[in-house]
Every structure is written in structure tokens, then in C-alpha cells.
């Protein structure tokens, strides 16, 4: 083979190999860095292992927000209408965080079933509902109806 | 004679429809002229482009007039303005939401068309006709989209509201007056490069002359994109109240992807112009760059993303833009598939040559763009397949970008000095050794002085930026033989490149420092108390209220102390906007070249205390300073003499290139 061509072939092979390795690493790393959204119902049902970083969200339950008297710790509960998840957070909450508002938090479940949030997101618009939360609410609502129908069927039978 | 101002929306609407007619004629007439070889028909391209833009400008002015007049009988004005809104924001509210920003988008497209029409005297008329015809097609698509799905002139009759719903408070800010128009200029400007590429494909004249025509346009669009992205980052930094300057938010990614591809395109165009190589690749990049701009528009405007920028989710709009995107990408790739195989790149180059380094540069930039695309679309695909909702963390994007940026910087240092066709390592050895040693010493030194320890990330970031800057400047020194007087003679294009590359180095230094040495703390603090962070003390002086024109804010005043001396008084605010009853955090920032002090308010706590976020961010300004360097570099390159001289020599060059290619 012409030496120059051989050189070019080597370059191409090298590039292909490099790209293949890069893509492989990128996809592996991607699978390590995705944060799945889990609804309160899923968390309450024990579908989420403690220590795994996930996103969880729902409506902040009325009367559930409690600030520590010292420091910036806060505890609250979120719900999708079916189940509730207790959350703790240390730090500054977003402007639109308030009771009844839809929020999404990033964090991990601890062994007591409390969600330890490292980040709490609420969007800058009070009419805005995070789509994840919207879907979770609708799903919980439908499941609720289905189980009521089942229950009704059971009493009738 | 006076026109009843009541009819301004109808006038605006009429102007918009007339611009659509003009755009449609601009598509058809010049192309028919090209087809039949009739020059007088091609000659209509320029006046039609001007006419189209004129009506678009009238339309935009009418909408602006409506905002200034507080005409709440128009739905868009009623939704996005308020009688209490300060006048500058009434103007920026024109592009504060979907409908108006789309009108701005098409108006800018029209204005780019005018620029092409006026600044293309040196181009053969048939090329001008093709280019403007293609730009007309894009106009038709987007003006139709505006009229059909997003008409900003729709009326709320017979019972208009008393007052408007106000502009989203997030957008009531100087950054938002300038950020969207700049970014749009960049997005839309890439349509010129796209139109040039398609015109060249259609005519089969994919030659050096085409690359030379296309280059300044691409660079101009790239400058706007660069400034637009930097402005967006700066705005997010001071307005969102978290002190973050880049969130890997899908909307940010939507602007970064076209920028990365446009950067690749700039470099590939250089090879095509100078050496007649990479032709099909360059065309493909031009198509990708504009397609990604459209994809960005789709992602932002269709509401498929969860983001503050997704003003409304309206499936009809999403489908329309997706169709436009499909036609545009599909059509251009089809044309490419039909025509590109006939394009042959002639010319050889060795392994050690500028061609190789620019090829590698393109490769890295494309991998970067692909990484951003993957990370942005992955959640959408995952959701679409019914697998659930997820988000890709910033950690992943950072993990992708750090090694790629390192590779890119190392290549840049060499690529700028290596010769075309073939070069020898030995020729560059001295400079490369100097740059390499300086880089390592500088990185070790800074990181030891600042923190006493060596952090891998800091070392890497500082070393590659020092390498890049030193190698680039050493090349200037070598080329000018150490004489300042000779520097200006090196050519504006070259100096532009130097400036832009140094800018990249400056941004990398900024990112490295702010990512590794920022300190922050969230505290509970009451008036009279002092908090220490790094070398600084923050003394909470007092809390109070401030009355703004359309908001009331709770404010906190801090003394910033260093070595026991007050160096600055900082006032952070939390504003409640009356019309929407929404709250905005206004951070107090003390900015300087070496560090930013960032104070933002959280929530009020018991006993007059506040939750406050305090941050010290070293080298924050460098992140954007680098972008200013890059833009100035681009400007120098656009103003290079050879683009102004080309009028006379163009025909000759084109003929010669034609001869050489066949």
C-alpha cells in the first residue's frame, strides 16, 4: 500500500476506534447520570431503593411545612392524592415554594422512608404545574377511581 | 389625515400578510428566472427581499405601537403588558412571549435577506437569486406559522380587559431586552449560510468562491450567537438568584448546539476556501447548523420541554414547527444526497498539516454537539416510549465536556500555527515546548498559591488554557518577528482568530476557577449579625421595603467587609410584582475582574431573620469576557480586507476555480 494511504488508513482506524470508545463511555456514563421521576405512590409502595438518587414530586401538603427554629432545615410532605412522602431539606427554598404548590425535588430516600432533598425546584409561575407532577396526580386520581370501583364491586359481590 | 389608531392591529396583520405574499414571490420569481436564464426575473430577488422585510418591520412596529398604547383589546398585549409596566419593558414585552418573539424571528430573517441583497454586489446574479429564493422559502414557512398558529394581532373583542396581565417578571430586565434579539439574530443568521450552501448545491458550483462568500455571513451569525449565549448566561446568573451561570437546561442546550456546529462550520469553510477540500462536509455542516437552530426553536416553542422558556404548550404549534423542520432538513438532505456525490474535493495533505488539525477540530466539536443533543433528547425519547420521566444531570454534561474541551484546546494551540498541506513537528517544536512548560508551571503555580494543594481539575483547566493562549501569542510573536509594528500587517482574519482563540482560553480559565474555587453558604441571619465567608464578612445592616413602579420589594442591606473595612454596600431584594402577584429574587452582586460577591435572599424566618445565600465566585467575569474576545475576533475576521476587495477579483477567481475543478 502507498505509505501515505497507509498513514491515512491508520488515522481513520484510530479515529473510528476513538469514537467507538468515546460513545461507549458516554452511554455508560449517561446511564449512571439519569434521575428517574418517581411518584409518591411508587415511593410509598416501596418501589424505590434507599440511597438511589431520584426525582420525586407532588403537591406540598397543607400545614406540613415546618421550619427548624435554628438553621435552615425544613420538613414537609408531598402528595399525589394517593400517598404522601415526607421530605427534609436544608437550605433556601425557591420563591414559589408554598403549601399546595407542585414541586419537584432531587434527592435520595433514607432508610426511614424520608426523602432527603438536595435540590428543590418550583417554577416561577404559580399557574405552572411541573408535567411530572401533573401526570402523577392524574394517574393517582385514576388509580383511586379504579380501586374504588373494585371496592364497590367487592361489596356488591 | 390621521389614521384611527384603533385599527393598528389590522394594519399590522395586513402588513404581515403582504410580507407573506412578497416572500412567496421572492421564492418563485427568481427561481423561474434561474430556470429560464432570464436575468430580469432574477433581478426581482433583491427588491422583493427588501419589500418583504419592509412589511415585516411595519408589522413589528404596529405591535410595538400597541404595547406603547396599552391597547388591551389585543390578546397578546393584554397577556404580556400592563399599564404600570415601565416603557422600556413595554417594548421588550413585544418579544416577551411566543407570538411576538416569532414575529421578531421572521423580521430578522427578512432583515438578513436585505443584508444579503445589499451586500452581494460582487456575487453573480443567479447565485443571489438562488440564495434569496431559499431564504424566501424559510420566510414563507415561518410567516405562515405566525399567521396560522401564533397571530400576535388577535383581538379580544367585544369586551377587552381593563388592564393587562403584565409581562412575566423574570423578563422585566435589561438582559431580556437584549438577549433574545441577539440570539435570534444568530439563529436566523445561520439561514444565510444554509441558503448559500443549498444555492451552491443547486448550481453545482461548490467552489472556493462559494466558501469565500459564505464565510463572512457565517461568522456574522456566529458572533450574534456567541453574544446571545453569553448574554443568556449572564442574565440567568443575576436574575434567577442561584448564582449559577449555566444549567444544561434544554433551552440553553438548544442554543449551544447550533453554536458548536457553526464553530465547526467556520473552520471547515476556511479549509474549503483555502484548499478546496472538505466541500461536501462543509455543506453538510451548514445544513446541520441551521437545522439545529430550527430544532432549538421547536424544542423551545412547542412546549415539549419542562422549562421556564416554554411559555405555552400548544400541540398545534409543535406539529407545525416539526413539519417545517422535517421539510427543511429532509429537503436539504435530499438535495445533498442528489448533488453531493458529484462534488469532488481535490488536493492532498499530509498528516501534520492544518487540514488534519481542522478536521480533528471539526470532529471534536461535532462530538460535543452530539453529546448535547443526546443529553437533551434522551429524556424526550424515554418519555415518548412510555418508559417514564427522567432528567439527565449536569454531571453527565460536565463529564462529557471536560475531556472534549481539553482535547479541543490542545489541538487549537497547534492548529493555529501549523502550515497548510504539510508541516514538520521540528519547525514548531520550540514554541510548543515553551507553551507546554509555561502551561504546566502556570497551572501548578496558581493552584498551589490559591489552595495550597493540587486539584486535578484545576491543573487541567489552567494548563490547557495557558497552553492555548501562550501557543497562540507565541505564533503572533514569531510571525511578526517580535516587532509590534508588524502585527497589524498580519491580516485582520488572522488577528481575529488569535483574539477568538485567546477568548476561548479566557473562558476556560473562568470556568475552571469558578467551578473549583467558588464558596457559598446558605445562612439564617438577623439584622446586626455578621457572617464570614472566605476573606469576607457580611454584616446584615437592616431590612426594609422599597416601592418600585409595578412592584413592592422587601430589601435587605449588607455591608461587605474585608480586613475589617467596609468595601461595598449591597442591597438584595425580593420583589412582589402586583399584576401577577409573583415573587422575584434580585441578587446583590459586587462584580470585579477577580471575583464576584453574590448575595441573594431566601425566605423570611422567625424573629426578623432571613435565609440568605452568600457566595464568593472567583474569576466569574472571565467566563463572559472570553465570549467578548471571541465576538471581537469574529468581527475582525468579518471586516478583513479581502472580503471588501473581492468585488473586482471575484469573477476571475470563480472562473479560475471552475476551470480547476473541471
Amino acid at each position: 500500500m502507498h505509505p501515505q494511504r497507509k498513514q491515512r488508513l491508520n488515522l481513520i482506524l484510530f479515529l473510528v476506534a476513538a469514537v467507538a470508545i468515546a460513545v461507549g463511555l458516554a452511554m455508560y456514563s449517561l446511564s449512571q447520570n439519569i434521575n428517574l421521576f418517581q411518584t409518591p405512590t411508587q415511593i410509598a409502595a416501596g418501589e424505590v431503593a434507599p440511597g438511589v438518587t431520584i426525582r420525586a414530586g407532588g403537591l406540598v401538603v397543607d400545614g406540613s411545612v415546618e421550619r427548624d427554629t435554628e438553621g435552615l432545615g425544613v420538613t414537609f410532605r408531598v402528595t399525589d392524592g394517593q400517598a404522601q412522602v415526607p421530605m427534609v431539606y436544608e437550605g433556601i427554598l425557591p420563591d414559589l415554594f408554598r403549601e399546595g404548590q407542585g414541586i419537584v425535588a432531587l434527592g435520595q430516600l433514607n432508610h426511614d422512608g424520608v426523602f432527603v432533598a438536595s435540590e428543590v425546584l418550583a417554577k416561577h409561575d404559580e399557574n405552572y404545574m411541573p408535567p411530572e407532577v401533573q401526570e402523577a396526580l392524574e394517574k393517582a386520581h385514576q388509580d383511586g377511581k379504579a380501586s374504588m370501583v373494585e371496592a364497590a364491586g367487592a361489596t356488591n359481590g | 389625515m390621521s389614521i384611527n389608531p384603533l385599527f393598528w392591529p389590522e394594519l399590522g396583520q395586513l402588513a404581515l400578510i403582504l410580507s407573506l405574499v412578497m416572500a412567496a414571490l421572492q421564492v418563485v420569481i427568481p427561481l423561474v428566472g434561474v430556470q429560464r436564464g432570464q436575468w430580469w426575473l432574477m433581478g426581482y430577488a433583491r427588491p422583493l427581499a427588501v419589500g418583504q422585510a419592509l412589511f415585516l418591520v411595519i408589522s413589528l412596529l404596529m405591535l410595538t405601537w400597541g404595547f406603547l398604547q396599552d391597547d388591551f383589546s389585543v390578546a397578546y398585549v393584554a397577556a404580556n403588558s400592563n399599564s404600570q409596566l415601565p416603557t422600556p419593558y413595554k417594548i421588550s414585552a413585544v418579544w416577551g412571549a411566543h407570538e411576538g418573539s416569532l414575529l421578531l424571528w421572521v423580521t430578522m430573517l427578512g432583515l438578513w435577506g436585505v443584508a444579503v441583497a445589499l451586500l452581494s454586489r460582487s456575487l453573480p446574479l443567479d447565485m443571489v437569486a438562488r440564495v434569496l429564493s431559499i431564504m424566501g422559502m424559510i420566510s414563507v414557512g415561518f410567516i405562515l406559522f405566525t399567521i396560522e398558529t401564533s397571530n400576535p394581532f388577535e383581538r379580544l373583542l367585544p369586551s377587552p380587559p381593563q388592564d393587562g396581565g403584565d409581562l412575566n417578571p423574570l423578563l422585566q430586565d435589561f438582559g431580556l431586552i437584549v438577549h433574545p434579539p441577539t440570539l435570534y439574530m444568530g439563529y436566523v443568521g445561520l439561514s444565510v449560510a444554509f441558503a448559500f450552501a443549498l444555492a451552491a448545491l443547486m448550481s453545482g458550483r461548490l467552489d472556493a468562491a462559494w466558501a469565500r462568500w459564505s464565510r463572512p455571513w457565517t461568522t456574522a451569525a456566529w458572533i450574534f450567537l456567541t453574544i446571545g449565549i453569553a448574554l443568556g448566561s449572564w442574565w440567568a446568573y443575576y436574575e434567577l438568584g442561584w448564582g449559577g451561570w449555566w444549567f444544561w437546561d434544554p433551552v440553553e442546550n438548544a442554543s449551544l448546539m447550533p453554536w458548536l456546529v457553526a464553530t465547526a462550520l467556520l473552520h471547515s469553510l476556511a479549509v474549503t476556501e483555502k484548499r478546496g477540500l472538505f466541500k461536501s462536509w462543509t455543506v453538510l455542516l451548514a445544513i446541520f447548523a441551521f437545522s439545529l437552530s430550527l430544532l432549538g426553536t421547536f424544542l423551545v416553542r412547542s412546549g415539549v420541554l419542562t422549562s421556564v422558556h416554554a411559555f405555552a404548550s400548544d400541540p398545534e404549534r409543535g406539529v407545525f414547527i416539526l413539519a417545517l423542520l422535517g421539510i427543511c432538513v429532509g429537503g436539504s438532505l435530499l438535495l445533498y444526497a442528489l448533488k453531493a456525490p458529484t462534488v469532488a474535493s481535490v488536493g492532498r495533505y499530509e498528516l501534520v498539516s492544518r487540514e488534519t488539525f481542522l478536521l480533528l477540530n471539526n470532529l471534536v466539536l461535532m462530538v460535543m454537539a452530539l453529546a448535547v443533543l443526546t443529553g437533551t433528547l434522551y429524556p424526550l425519547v424515554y418519555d415518548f416510549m412510555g418508559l417514564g420521566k427522567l432528567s439527565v444531570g449536569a454531571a453527565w454534561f460536565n463529564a462529557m465536556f471536560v475531556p472534549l474541551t481539553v482535547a479541543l484546546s490542545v489541538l487549537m494551540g497547534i492548529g493555529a500555527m501549523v502550515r497548510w498541506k504539510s508541516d514538520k513537528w521540528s519547525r514548531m517544536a520550540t514554541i510548543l515546548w515553551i507553551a507546554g512548560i509555561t502551561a504546566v508551571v502556570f497551572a501548578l503555580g496558581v493552584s498551589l498559591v490559591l489552595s495550597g494543594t493540587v486539584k486535578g481539575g484545576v491543573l487541567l483547566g489552567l494548563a490547557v488554557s495557558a497552553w492555548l493562549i501562550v501557543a497562540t501569542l507565541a505564533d503572533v510573536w514569531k510571525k511578526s518577528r517580535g516587532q509590534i509594528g508588524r502585527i497589524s500587517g498580519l491580516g485582520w482574519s488572522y488577528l481575529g482568530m488569535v483574539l477568538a482563540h485567546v477568548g476561548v482560553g479566557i473562558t476556560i480559565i473562568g470556568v475552571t476557577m469558578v467551578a473549583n474555587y467558588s464558596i457559598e453558604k446558605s445562612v439564617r441571619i438577623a439584622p446586626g449579625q455578621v457572617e464570614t465567608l472566605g476573606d469576607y464578612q457580611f454584616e446584615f445592616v437592616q431590612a426594609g421595603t422599597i416601592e418600585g413602579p409595578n412592584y413592592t420589594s422587601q430589601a435587605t442591606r449588607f455591608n461587605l467587609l474585608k480586613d475589617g473595612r467596609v468595601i461595598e454596600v449591597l442591597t438584595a431584594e425580593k420583589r412582589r410584582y402586583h399584576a401577577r402577584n409573583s415573587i422575584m429574587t434580585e441578587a446583590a452582586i459586587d462584580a470585579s475582574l477577580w471575583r464576584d460577591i453574590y448575595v441573594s435572599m431566601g425566605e423570611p424566618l422567625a424573629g426578623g431573620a432571613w435565609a440568605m445565600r452568600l457566595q464568593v465566585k472567583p474569576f466569574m467575569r472571565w467566563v463572559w469576557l472570553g465570549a467578548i474576545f471571541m465576538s471581537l475576533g469574529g468581527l475582525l475576521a468579518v471586516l478583513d480586507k479581502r472580503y471588501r476587495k473581492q468585488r473586482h477579483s471575484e469573477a476571475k477567481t470563480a472562473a479560475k476555480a471552475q476551470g480547476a475543478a473541471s
Side-chain angles (χ1 to χ4, degrees), chain B residues 17 45 76 79 182 188 222 248 268 381 389 436 493 522 620 641 648:
Chain B
I17 293 170
Y76 182 72
T182 319
V188 178
W222 178 87
W248 296 108
S268 175
V381 173
K389 300 259 184 199
S493 262
S522 297
M620 187 63 238
K641 270 190 221 133
H648 309 292

Side-chain angles (χ1 to χ4, degrees), chain B residues 107-327:
Chain B
T107 307
M108 285 180 163
L109 184 58
L111 291 176
W112 277 101
V114 172
V116 171
L118 296 182
L119 298 174
S120 60
R121 300 276 168 239
S122 62
L123 259 67
L125 189 57
D126 64 320
M127 274 308 265
V128 176
R130 287 194 187 93
V131 168
L132 286 177
S133 170
I134 291 162
M135 292 185 70
M137 292 178 200
I138 305 166
S139 284
V140 168
F142 276 86
I143 297 175
L144 255 184
F145 177 57
T146 312
I147 296 176
E148 280 296 308
T149 71
S150 331
N151 188 350
F153 297 106
E154 218 147 85
R155 293 263 211 174
L156 285 173
L157 291 175
S159 49
Q162 285 302 305
D163 208 338
D166 204 5
L167 178 63
N168 185 345
L170 261 183
L171 312 183
Q172 295 187 25
D173 173 77
F174 171 75
L176 211 92
I177 297 182
V178 289
H179 159 62
T182 319
L183 197 58
Y184 281 9
M185 279 299 277
Y187 275 170
V188 178
L190 287 177
S191 72
V192 182
F194 173 80
F196 267 103
L198 287 200
L201 268 185
M202 282 160 77
S203 67
R205 288 211 304 265
L206 219 51
D207 48 30
W210 155 69
R212 185 159 333 135
W213 295 327
S214 193
R215 257 180 106 179
W217 293 103
T218 312
T219 311
W222 178 87
I223 296 170
F224 281 111
L225 263 186
T226 309
I227 300 175
I229 294 172
L231 280 172
S233 155
W234 176 60
W235 171 78
Y237 169 74
Y238 71 74
E239 188 67 17
L240 296 183
W242 308 325
W245 52 274
W246 192 263
F247 301 95
W248 296 108
D249 176 280
V251 176
E252 292 169 329
N253 294 348
S255 66
L256 186 61
M257 288 187 281
W259 186 85
L260 290 167
V261 177
T263 310
L265 175 60
L266 282 182
H267 292 87
S268 175
L269 273 170
V271 183
T272 307
E273 186 199 347
K274 299 279 187 193
R275 301 274 299 122
L277 292 164
F278 303 177
K279 287 175 188 165
S280 354
W281 173 242
T282 306
V283 170
L284 205 54
L285 281 180
I287 295 175
F288 283 159
F290 184 59
S291 303
L292 285 170
S293 295
L294 291 184
L295 180 72
T297 312
F298 165 70
L299 290 178
V300 177
R301 292 293 160 215
S302 64
V304 295
L305 298 171
T306 351
S307 158
V308 281
H309 290 64
F311 300 103
S313 29
D314 186 334
E316 192 198 349
R317 289 174 183 169
V319 170
F320 204 121
I321 302 193
L322 201 57
L324 283 180
L325 186 64
I327 293 169

Side-chain angles (χ1 to χ4, degrees), chain B residues 286-484:
Chain B
I287 295 175
F288 283 159
F290 184 59
S291 303
L292 285 170
S293 295
L294 291 184
L295 180 72
T297 312
F298 165 70
L299 290 178
V300 177
R301 292 293 160 215
S302 64
V304 295
L305 298 171
T306 351
S307 158
V308 281
H309 290 64
F311 300 103
S313 29
D314 186 334
E316 192 198 349
R317 289 174 183 169
V319 170
F320 204 121
I321 302 193
L322 201 57
L324 283 180
L325 186 64
I327 293 169
C328 186
V329 179
S332 51
L333 287 181
L334 183 68
L335 185 66
Y336 178 81
L338 292 174
K339 293 281 194 170
T342 62
V343 178
S345 286
V346 282
R348 295 183 175 283
Y349 55 96
E350 305 273 314
L351 191 59
V352 183
S353 66
R354 183 168 289 184
E355 288 90 329
T356 306
F357 278 88
L358 287 177
L359 187 64
L360 291 173
N361 140 300
N362 267 239
L363 186 76
V364 176
L365 285 167
M366 290 309 283
V367 172
M368 282 176 155
L370 209 60
V372 181
L373 187 70
T374 310
T376 310
L377 294 186
Y378 194 70
L380 293 180
V381 173
Y382 202 79
D383 191 17
F384 183 74
M385 298 199 306
L387 296 171
K389 300 259 184 199
L390 59 78
S391 67
V392 176
W396 183 75
F397 288 103
N398 293 338
M400 291 291 104
F401 262 63
V402 169
L404 288 169
T405 308
V406 168
L408 192 64
S409 313
V410 172
L411 289 172
M412 275 165 86
I414 309 168
M417 71 176 76
V418 67
R419 284 183 179 149
W420 293 105
K421 269 181 165 173
S422 121
D423 206 339
K424 295 260 181 301
W425 284 115
S426 54
R427 192 184 69 81
M428 301 178 285
T430 324
I431 291 189
L432 294 181
W433 273 113
I434 292 174
I437 292 168
T438 323
V440 173
V441 171
F442 171 77
L444 272 174
V446 170
S447 111
L448 280 174
V449 167
L450 283 181
S451 58
T453 55
V454 176
K455 277 191 189 174
V458 179
L459 210 58
L460 206 56
L462 292 181
V464 294
S465 43
W467 156 268
L468 171 56
I469 294 173
V470 172
T472 307
L473 294 181
D475 189 50
V476 177
W477 186 77
K478 194 175 171 187
K479 284 204 168 78
S480 62
R481 293 186 209 120
Q483 290 168 294
I484 305 286

Side-chain angles (χ1 to χ4, degrees), chain A residues 2 4-5 7-8 11 14-15 18-19 22-23 25-38 55 65 67-74 89-98 106 120-126 128-132 135, chain B residues 168-170 239-240 242 249 305-308 310 347-351 356 359-360 363 367 370 374-375 378 382-383 387-396 399-400 522-524 574 576 580-585 600-603 605 610-613:
Chain A
H2 193 278
Q4 201 185 339
R5 282 207 178 160
Q7 207 176 27
R8 206 167 289 173
L11 178 69
F14 169 74
L15 289 180
V19 168
V23 168
L25 285 175
M27 293 319 284
Y28 173 74
S29 148
L30 185 63
S31 67
Q32 301 295 305
N33 269 294
I34 53 175
N35 309 120
L36 268 173
F37 180 83
Q38 306 283 1
R55 279 153 34 102
V65 181
R67 268 278 175 203
D68 295 356
T69 44
E70 292 293 314
L72 290 174
V74 61
Y89 176 68
E90 175 91 32
I92 290 179
L93 291 165
D95 290 334
L96 280 176
F97 180 92
R98 63 185 71 140
L106 181 75
V120 176
L121 310 163
K123 296 287 180 177
H124 281 271
D125 176 352
E126 42 242 81
Y128 178 83
M129 181 70 80
E132 294 98 328
E135 209 167 275
Chain B
N168 185 345
L170 261 183
E239 188 67 17
L240 296 183
W242 308 325
D249 176 280
L305 298 171
T306 351
S307 158
V308 281
R348 295 183 175 283
Y349 55 96
E350 305 273 314
L351 191 59
T356 306
L359 187 64
L360 291 173
L363 186 76
V367 172
L370 209 60
T374 310
Y378 194 70
Y382 202 79
D383 191 17
L387 296 171
K389 300 259 184 199
L390 59 78
S391 67
V392 176
W396 183 75
M400 291 291 104
S522 297
V523 295
R524 170 194 203 89
K574 210 160 186 74
R576 177 176 289 278
R580 293 194 179 194
N581 203 21
S582 49
I583 297 178
M584 281 298 313
T585 304
S600 57
M601 295 166 71
E603 66 221 89
L605 303 169
W610 278 86
M612 300 287 307
R613 182 178 278 132

